[in-house]
């Protein structure tokens, strides 16, 4: 009888855990979006859409990987990567067919059918799931990824830390309950400390305090979701040749959820990207070390470190392609690890697909991944004769998938200006001399030391077993970051270093694990003391003594901080080694771990210093004025999806650049409609513009300045039906209030400096 009662009790607990696991994340996602200003209706619809994709991905991963039978960081991360991939691919394939409204759920139906037929539903059994505290780490990673302690984020982070410690030695059910409670408290803190709105809507605050790249992201995501690859909404009729995959996902999610412009780009992307990155990074390190502590350290290394004077993190600026693309790169790393461990045939198909998706999401990330793959597989081919055919096949399929992806989707149009050039002056010295070359080398070495603190001892320590190909894979990926210092791509060279930091974080955390495996509890506490002391001391030094105002007197200016960072770390490490050398068994291990921990302490101190800075409204009228937003909302609601607009907004018809930036994509971003031409600098990649772009610019500007029958006829030739006119960019001196366009158009909307004109037929 007692056995029956025990079985029923366990079975009931399993069902409770299964239910809680399924609803906790969607509820918290709704709360996150609502707190950040998204309407409750859009928050709920977005949560439903993302949850369907996530469940599809999780069950697909269970079908591919029989080891996955419960909710873990790996299954959650792979679920996000696979679910988003399946939905995006299906949507793009059926975009111009009658199946378009339901195309994104077709993979969900197929996977659900296969899951029902091929395996029984597997509830999260308490006999296997002993620790859910990792979910606190993932939530903390989202806040650390945002990189701000202001506006309640610091207090929210402390709440999660408290919950993490409170859930120690608890069973799964209390751990999940504590996580839910602390997450709700954290969201309430964010709501209570929500800053005053200085301009526009609070929902758009990240647009005004972040980067204007977000407008481009929104524009291209709408274009891909509405018109596919053959028709770019910012330059109607031209094809999209860009690493677009992450943007296709955001456009799809915006469209099927019916959410407002920028909801996904500003609020969903940071959450999903940082959550997925943290889960997959944690999972990879756990596979290598079987240590939860080492996996937690990996998240800290990647998310909570930074550099001075310039930010050096795993993303250049926080936009869709820079952050979300890492999910597919990390998913590919997981699959590569499984391939070199098991040599199962299924990975011969899955890995080339994921490396191609990474290329399509962010080409530099894919290039780093491909270089690491080829190097590791070349080593494996030479050293392991048993699996040479498998290795050769994986090499060929990886090259085939990336090559095909490049030729079909990424090869630039012949009129584009995007390219890389060799440059060995990454710090922009005015002239190249022997002295500046030495300084450049010193800067590069210092940056590598600070951003890739690892020990070469991990390659020689008696690990059982040592996965040589995978460590070569990681090392090559980290070294590939040096490309950033030898190329000039108009900031695109930064992406190689950004992706390399992920490989470095894995190596750093595994280094710490293998160096400290035999350390006593007292030794580990000493290292924690070293870390915390270094964080505080370095933050104080860079805030009050080595800040920009004090170091600007040096010949290299603020760049001297690059050298000060490792100097501080090495001095502190030397003091620690001298003080505690008698308490550690191995002097060599002590030196290695002290240097690594001190370097991490300085990097975390710098991160903390940067995170405490107040957000400022950098972009307002020039990026997305309230007048433009309200006018474009009218266009979105009243203009047919197939109609084409022309505009004079931020267009420069001179041969040389005007005194404003002609790279605005706001019209296509907010209205979701196609434009004859806007944002030409980004469309082309820079001046000089090709003739067809110049002709469209001159036509648009001329009609706004002095309309004629000939100009009107030319607009009709392009099937333009609307003209979005901004009087701030009229240069002819005509009076807009006299309606000089009345012969050719009617005024549909007049809002301050904006006239929305409907062209006569």
């Amino acid at each position: 009888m007692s056995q029956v009662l025990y079985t029923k009790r366990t079975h009931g607990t399993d069902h409770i855990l299964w239910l809680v696991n399924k609803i906790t994340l969607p509820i918290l996602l709704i709360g996150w979006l609502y707190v950040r200003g998204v309407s409750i209706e859009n928050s709920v619809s977005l949560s439903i859409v993302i949850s369907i994709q996530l469940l599809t991905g999780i069950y697909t991963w269970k079908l591919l990987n029989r080891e996955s039978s419960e909710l873990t960081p790996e299954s959650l991360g792979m679920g996000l990567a696979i679910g988003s991939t399946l939905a995006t691919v299906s949507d793009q394939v059926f975009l111009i067919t009658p199946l378009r409204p339901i195309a994104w759920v077709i993979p969900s139906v197929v996977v659900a059918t296969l899951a029902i037929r091929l395996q029984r539903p597997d509830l999260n059994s308490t006999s296997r799931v002993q620790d859910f505290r990792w979910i606190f780490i993932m939530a903390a990673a989202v806040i650390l990824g945002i990189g701000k302690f202001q506006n309640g984020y610091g207090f929210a982070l402390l709440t999660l830390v408290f919950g993490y410690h409170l859930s120690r030695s608890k069973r799964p059910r209390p751990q999940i309950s504590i996580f839910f409670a602390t997450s709700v408290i954290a969201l309430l803190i964010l709501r209570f400390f929500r800053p005053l709105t200085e301009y526009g809507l609070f929902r758009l605050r990240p647009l005004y305090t972040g980067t204007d790249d977000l407008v481009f992201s929104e524009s291209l995501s709408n274009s891909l979701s509405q018109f596919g690859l053959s028709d770019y909404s910012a330059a109607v009729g031209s094809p999209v040749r860009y690493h677009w995959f992450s943007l296709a996902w955001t456009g799809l999610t915006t469209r099927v959820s019916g959410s407002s412009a920028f909801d996904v780009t500003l609020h969903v992307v940071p959450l999903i990207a940082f959550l997925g990155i943290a889960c997959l990074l944690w999972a990879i390190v756990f596979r290598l070390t079987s240590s939860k502590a080492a996996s937690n350290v990996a998240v800290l290394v990647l998310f909570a470190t930074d550099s001075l004077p310039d930010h050096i993190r795993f993303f250049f600026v926080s936009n869709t392609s820079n952050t979300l693309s890492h999910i597919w790169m990390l998913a590919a790393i997981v699959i590569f690890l499984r391939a070199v461990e098991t040599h199962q045939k299924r990975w011969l198909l899955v890995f080339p697909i994921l490396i191609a998706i990474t290329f399509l999401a962010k080409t530099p990330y894919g290039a780093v991944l491909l270089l690491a793959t080829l190097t590791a597989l070349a080593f494996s081919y030479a050293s392991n004769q048993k699996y040479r055919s498998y290795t050769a096949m994986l090499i060929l399929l990886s090259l085939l998938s990336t090559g095909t992806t490049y030729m079909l989707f990424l090869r630039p149009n012949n009129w584009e200006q995007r390219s890389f050039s060799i440059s060995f002056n990454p710090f922009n010295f005015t002239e190249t001399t022997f002295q500046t070359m030495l300084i450049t080398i010193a800067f590069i070495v210092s940056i590598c030391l600070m951003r890739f603190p690892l020990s070469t001892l991990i390659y020689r320590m008696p690990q059982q077993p040592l996965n040589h190909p995978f460590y070569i894979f990681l090392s090559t990926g980290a070294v590939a970051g040096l490309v950033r210092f030898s190329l000039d791509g108009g900031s695109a060279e930064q992406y190689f270093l950004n992706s390399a930091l992920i490989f470095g974080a894995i190596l750093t955390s595994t280094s710490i694990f293998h160096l400290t495996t035999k350390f006593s509890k007292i030794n580990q506490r000493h290292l924690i003391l070293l870390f915390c002391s270094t964080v505080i001391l370095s933050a104080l030094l860079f805030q009050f003594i080595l800040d920009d105002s004090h170091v600007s007197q040096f010949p290299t200016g603020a760049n001297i901080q690059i050298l000060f960072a490792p100097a501080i770390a090495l001095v502190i490490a030397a003091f620690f080694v001298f003080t505690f050398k008698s308490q550690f068994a191995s002097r060599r291990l002590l030196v290695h771990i002290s240097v690594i921990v001190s370097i991490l302490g300085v990097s975390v101190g710098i991160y903390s210093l940067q995170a405490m800075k107040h957000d400022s409204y950098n972009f307002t009228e020039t990026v997305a004025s309230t007048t433009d937003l309200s006018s474009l909302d009218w266009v979105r609601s009243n203009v047919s999806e197939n109609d084409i607009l022309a505009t004079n907004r931020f267009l420069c018809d001179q041969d040389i650049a005007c005194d404003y930036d002609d790279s605005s994509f706001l019209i296509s971003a907010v209205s979701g409609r196609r434009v004859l031409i806007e944002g030409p600098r980004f469309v082309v990649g820079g001046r000089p513009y090709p003739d067809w772009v110049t002709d469209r610019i001159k036509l648009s500007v001329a009609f706004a300045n002095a309309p004629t029958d000939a100009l009107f006829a030319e607009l009709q030739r392009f099937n333009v039906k609307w003209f979005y006119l901004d009087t701030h960019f009229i240069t002819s001196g005509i009076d807009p209030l006299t309606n000089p366009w009345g012969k050719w158009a009617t005024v549909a909307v007049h809002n301050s400096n904006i006239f929305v004109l409907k062209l006569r037929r």
Side-chain angles (χ1 to χ4, degrees):
M1 182 65 177
S2 61
Q3 181 64 40
V4 172
L5 291 175
Y6 177 80
T7 302
K8 290 183 178 179
R9 189 182 302 115
T10 302
H11 187 64
T13 302
D14 286 345
H15 275 285
I16 292 172
L17 283 174
W18 179 84
L19 180 62
V20 170
N21 286 340
K22 295 297 183 292
I23 67 173
T24 295
L25 292 181
I27 291 175
L28 293 179
L29 174 57
I30 293 171
W32 167 267
L33 295 174
Y34 184 69
V35 165
R36 287 172 64 92
V38 179
S39 69
I40 189 65
E41 296 86 357
N42 290 346
S43 298
V44 172
S45 62
L46 283 167
S47 180
I48 293 172
V49 171
I50 293 169
S51 297
I52 291 172
Q53 294 182 30
L54 174 60
L55 287 174
T56 302
I58 289 175
Y59 279 100
T60 303
W61 180 237
K62 286 183 177 182
L63 294 173
L64 289 171
N65 181 41
R66 298 295 175 149
E67 295 178 6
S68 179
S69 58
E70 55 197 34
L71 184 64
T72 63
E74 182 176 287
S75 64
L76 183 57
M78 293 301 293
L80 288 171
I82 296 173
S84 58
T85 297
L86 293 176
T88 304
V89 170
S90 181
D91 184 65
Q92 286 296 309
V93 168
F94 296 105
L95 189 63
I96 58 175
T97 72
L99 293 176
R100 168 176 162 166
I102 63 169
W104 70 281
V105 295
I106 292 175
S108 302
V109 174
V110 173
V111 170
T113 303
L114 290 174
I116 293 172
R117 294 189 62 180
L118 299 180
Q119 64 178 30
R120 293 178 299 174
D122 195 343
L123 302 177
N124 296 314
S125 173
T126 56
S127 64
R128 289 175 296 182
V129 180
Q130 299 296 328
D131 193 352
F132 272 100
R133 288 196 302 159
W134 58 266
I135 203 166
F136 290 92
I137 303 299
M138 306 309 142
V142 173
I143 296 177
L144 292 173
I146 291 173
K148 297 295 177 185
F149 291 161
Q150 298 287 338
N151 306 326
Y153 283 102
F155 292 118
L157 183 63
L158 290 176
T159 302
L160 292 171
V161 172
F162 175 76
Y164 179 84
H165 286 284
L166 187 64
S167 64
R168 297 178 64 181
S169 304
K170 303 289 186 182
R171 298 288 293 171
R173 184 179 176 185
Q175 285 180 341
I176 296 174
S177 300
I178 293 171
F179 170 72
F180 185 80
T182 52
S183 296
V184 170
I185 293 172
L187 291 174
L188 291 174
I189 290 173
L190 293 180
R191 180 62 183 86
F192 180 78
F193 285 98
R194 190 163 86 173
L196 296 176
T197 302
E198 299 178 29
Y199 186 87
L201 299 174
F202 175 77
R203 179 178 67 87
L204 299 179
R205 177 183 171 85
L207 179 63
Y208 298 124
T209 61
T211 169
D212 56 356
D213 279 3
L214 295 167
V215 178
F216 169 74
S217 296
E218 185 72 11
S219 168
L220 187 51
S221 67
N222 283 335
S223 178
L224 291 163
S225 177
Q226 297 290 342
F227 311 110
L229 296 171
S230 60
D231 200 355
Y232 188 9
S233 63
V236 62
S238 62
V240 175
R241 311 290 294 183
Y242 192 74
H243 39 222
W244 51 264
F245 194 82
S246 60
L247 300 166
W249 179 80
T250 56
L252 154 71
T253 305
T254 298
R255 190 189 77 235
V256 300
S257 65
S259 57
S260 303
F262 293 108
D263 279 355
V264 176
T265 298
L266 299 183
H267 307 294
V268 173
V269 167
L271 174 66
I272 296 301
F274 296 141
L275 177 64
I277 292 167
C279 285
L280 292 170
L281 180 71
W282 197 99
I284 292 167
V285 175
F286 188 75
R287 278 194 174 273
L288 293 174
T289 63
S290 299
S291 168
K292 297 183 179 69
S295 300
N296 294 343
V297 168
V299 174
L300 175 73
V301 171
L302 185 65
F303 281 86
T305 56
D306 204 346
S307 300
L308 287 172
D310 298 323
H311 289 284
I312 300 179
R313 302 188 68 195
F314 59 97
F315 53 90
F316 179 51
V317 293
S318 183
N319 64 24
T320 303
S321 63
N322 288 354
T323 56
L324 195 62
S325 303
H326 282 308
I327 293 182
W328 296 296
M329 187 181 79
L330 279 160
I333 294 175
V334 170
I335 298 300
F336 184 81
L337 177 57
R338 299 294 293 136
V340 296
E341 284 179 340
T342 65
H343 298 94
Q344 293 175 333
K345 292 181 179 180
R346 70 190 69 173
W347 310 130
L348 291 174
L349 175 64
V350 178
F351 179 74
I353 291 175
L354 277 174
I355 196 173
I357 294 297
T358 305
F359 248 94
L360 201 51
K362 197 72 175 179
T363 302
Y365 296 178
V368 171
L369 182 61
L370 180 62
L371 178 62
T373 299
L374 296 179
T375 304
L377 291 179
F379 172 84
S380 180
Y381 185 86
S383 60
N384 192 339
Q385 296 184 4
K386 181 179 179 181
Y387 296 107
R388 277 190 172 180
S389 59
Y390 184 92
T391 302
M393 184 62 67
L394 192 56
I395 291 174
L396 292 175
L397 291 175
S398 298
L399 289 172
L400 178 63
S401 66
T402 52
T404 303
T405 299
Y406 176 82
M407 296 301 294
L408 290 178
F409 304 111
L410 298 173
R411 186 174 60 176
N413 296 296
N414 54 14
W415 42 263
E416 292 189 62
Q417 302 291 329
R418 296 181 180 89
S419 62
F420 289 96
S421 60
I422 302 296
S423 174
F424 296 103
N425 186 22
F427 302 101
N428 301 316
F429 288 108
T430 55
E431 58 180 349
T432 302
T433 65
F434 181 72
Q435 183 180 8
T436 60
M437 291 177 63
L438 289 179
I439 295 173
T440 297
I441 294 173
F443 283 164
I444 293 174
V445 171
S446 296
I447 290 173
C448 291
L449 181 63
M450 293 300 300
R451 305 308 287 129
F452 300 94
L454 56 94
S455 173
T456 57
L457 291 179
I458 63 172
Y459 300 104
R460 304 193 299 270
M461 296 183 74
Q463 305 163 50
Q464 297 295 331
L466 175 61
N467 192 327
H468 289 286
F470 192 70
Y471 275 91
I472 290 175
F473 172 85
L474 295 175
S475 303
T476 305
V479 171
L482 292 174
V483 171
R484 179 260 179 269
F485 302 107
S486 59
L487 292 179
D488 181 8
S491 79
E493 71 280 357
Q494 303 278 354
Y495 305 143
F496 294 97
L497 182 57
N498 299 146
S499 57
L501 290 176
I502 289 184
F503 293 85
I506 299 171
L507 287 171
T508 297
S509 57
T510 54
S511 294
I512 293 174
F513 169 76
H514 290 297
L515 291 174
T516 60
T517 299
K518 297 182 180 179
F519 282 7
S520 64
K521 292 290 185 181
I522 295 178
N523 292 154
Q524 293 175 5
R525 293 192 186 101
H526 286 154
L527 291 175
I528 294 173
L529 175 63
L530 169 64
F531 173 76
C532 295
S533 302
T534 307
V535 170
I536 297 172
L537 179 59
S538 60
L540 292 174
L541 286 174
F542 282 112
Q543 174 67 21
F544 298 108
I545 299 178
L546 302 176
D547 62 316
D548 291 348
S549 61
H550 288 89
V551 301
S552 59
Q553 59 185 319
F554 287 89
T556 59
N559 279 338
I560 195 65
Q561 294 173 325
I562 298 173
L563 300 180
F564 280 139
I568 293 170
L570 293 176
V571 169
I572 295 176
F575 176 79
F576 181 82
V577 170
F578 179 78
T579 304
F580 294 99
K581 59 184 178 182
S582 61
Q583 301 186 31
F584 287 80
S586 171
R587 180 75 59 86
R588 185 174 64 166
L589 293 182
L590 173 60
V591 171
H592 279 250
I593 192 62
S594 298
V595 171
I596 292 176
V597 171
S598 297
I599 287 174
L600 286 179
V602 172
S603 296
V604 173
I606 292 173
Y607 168 89
S608 303
L609 196 62
Q610 302 277 47
M612 288 187 286
K613 291 182 178 179
H614 178 69
D615 280 340
S616 59
Y617 275 63
N618 300 316
F619 310 100
T620 52
E621 294 287 334
T622 59
V623 172
S625 70
T626 52
T627 301
D628 277 316
L629 291 175
S630 60
S631 301
L632 290 170
D633 280 339
W634 184 92
V635 173
R636 187 184 186 105
S637 301
N638 295 277
V639 173
S640 171
E641 289 185 1
N642 295 320
D643 285 359
I644 300 172
L645 289 77
T647 186
N648 68 326
R649 183 179 180 273
F650 283 99
L651 291 184
C652 176
D653 61 347
Q654 302 176 10
D655 293 333
I656 60 175
C658 295
D659 58 356
Y660 50 83
D661 185 8
D662 57 343
S663 61
S664 175
F665 293 86
L666 190 68
I667 296 175
S668 55
V670 178
S671 72
R673 304 302 181 261
R674 291 172 294 171
V675 185
L676 182 64
I677 187 68
E678 71 167 338
R681 186 171 69 83
F682 271 17
V683 170
V684 178
R687 291 178 180 268
Y689 298 150
D691 291 342
W692 70 270
V693 171
T694 301
D695 292 343
R696 292 187 182 192
I697 293 173
K698 290 182 177 180
L699 171 62
S700 301
V701 172
F703 184 81
N705 285 333
T708 65
D709 289 337
L711 294 173
F712 176 73
E714 189 66 10
L715 288 175
Q716 285 192 315
R717 187 175 70 85
F718 284 105
N719 201 29
V720 173
K721 295 184 178 180
W722 300 82
F723 199 98
Y724 188 88
L725 189 142
D726 190 335
T727 59
H728 289 164
F729 297 93
I730 292 179
T731 58
S732 63
I734 62 174
D735 183 4
L737 296 180
T738 63
N739 191 18
W741 310 277
K743 178 181 177 182
W744 303 276
T746 58
V747 178
V749 173
H750 175 209
N751 187 3
S752 183
N753 59 296
I754 300 299
F755 287 80
V756 179
L757 307 176
K758 184 174 184 180
L759 302 187
R760 302 181 189 276
R761 305 314 298 173

